[in-house]
Amino acid sequence: MAVDLRKKVEEDRGLLKKIELAIPGFRGYRKREDLRIADSLLRAQLADRLKHVGTQLERCRQDLVKRMELEVLEDAARLVNNIQKTENRVRHAEQGYSGISADFRIEVEELNRLYEWDLQLLSDIDKIRAEVAGLERAILGGSRSELPLRLRAVNDVLQDFNMTFDKRIEIIGGIGV
């Protein structure tokens, strides 16, 4: 279970941030910034977990090379590349920032929903990890016929993760069409 980083960020407010909370008109800004910081920290954790899964997947690819499983090597290499792209997308994703006179303003409620949305992605990463573990077992068990299915399963859960991640800002802000 992940720690709620919103509480941690609130507890670690320094004196200057506490003063900002007392200034009329600045309180909302401070709260939104703290939520963005918490979400940014959460996304860094998500990206780190994806990186770890990517390392497992790279080991699988290397095992496939050692076993001369040439028919599936290209698919495995593509998966390694895709998980690295996904990790970078998550690490550098939109923080829900909106300027003073933005066309679309993201308030505290939407930022809290964005955080909750990103928190749910932890379980999606567990699904990716489980499929990679299944691939690893198939490789180590010498189940050649199972390899394409396992690679496809990893690809499917990774695509699902990316589609869910793509929709986060649209759905949170109610701007999806």
Side-chain angles (χ1 to χ4, degrees), residues 63-64 67 69 134-147:
D63 285 343
L64 291 170
R67 293 167 190 264
E69 298 289 351
L135 173 64
E136 203 167 32
R137 283 191 301 274
I139 294 168
L140 296 176
S143 306
R144 295 184 99 187
S145 62
E146 201 177 322
L147 293 177

Side-chain angles (χ1 to χ4, degrees), residues 124-167:
D124 291 347
I125 292 174
D126 288 341
K127 291 176 190 170
I128 298 169
R129 184 180 317 152
E131 291 299 338
V132 171
L135 173 64
E136 203 167 32
R137 283 191 301 274
I139 294 168
L140 296 176
S143 306
R144 295 184 99 187
S145 62
E146 201 177 322
L147 293 177
L149 298 173
R150 291 291 183 178
L151 285 164
R152 194 172 309 124
V154 174
N155 187 54
D156 289 348
V157 292
L158 186 58
Q159 281 186 339
D160 289 347
F161 178 89
N162 277 309
M163 287 183 359
T164 302
F165 192 75
D166 286 343
K167 293 190 179 280

Side-chain angles (χ1 to χ4, degrees), residues 8-69:
K8 181 75 177 146
V9 168
E10 281 181 24
E11 290 169 1
D12 289 347
R13 283 181 180 144
L15 179 62
L16 183 59
K17 290 180 180 177
K18 289 178 182 172
I19 291 170
E20 290 173 352
L21 286 171
I23 299 172
F26 217 75
R27 182 179 173 81
Y29 165 78
R30 179 73 268 148
K31 284 184 166 188
R32 286 190 302 271
E33 282 303 306
D34 286 350
L35 286 169
R36 287 184 189 101
I37 290 168
D39 191 53
S40 180
L41 291 170
L42 176 60
R43 279 184 299 101
Q45 287 184 6
L46 290 169
D48 288 345
R49 288 183 185 199
L50 283 169
K51 185 176 186 173
H52 180 72
V53 174
T55 300
Q56 288 177 287
L57 197 54
E58 174 58 23
R59 271 197 314 265
C60 288
R61 189 195 66 77
Q62 290 172 359
D63 285 343
L64 291 170
V65 169
K66 288 176 190 168
R67 293 167 190 264
M68 299 296 289
E69 298 289 351

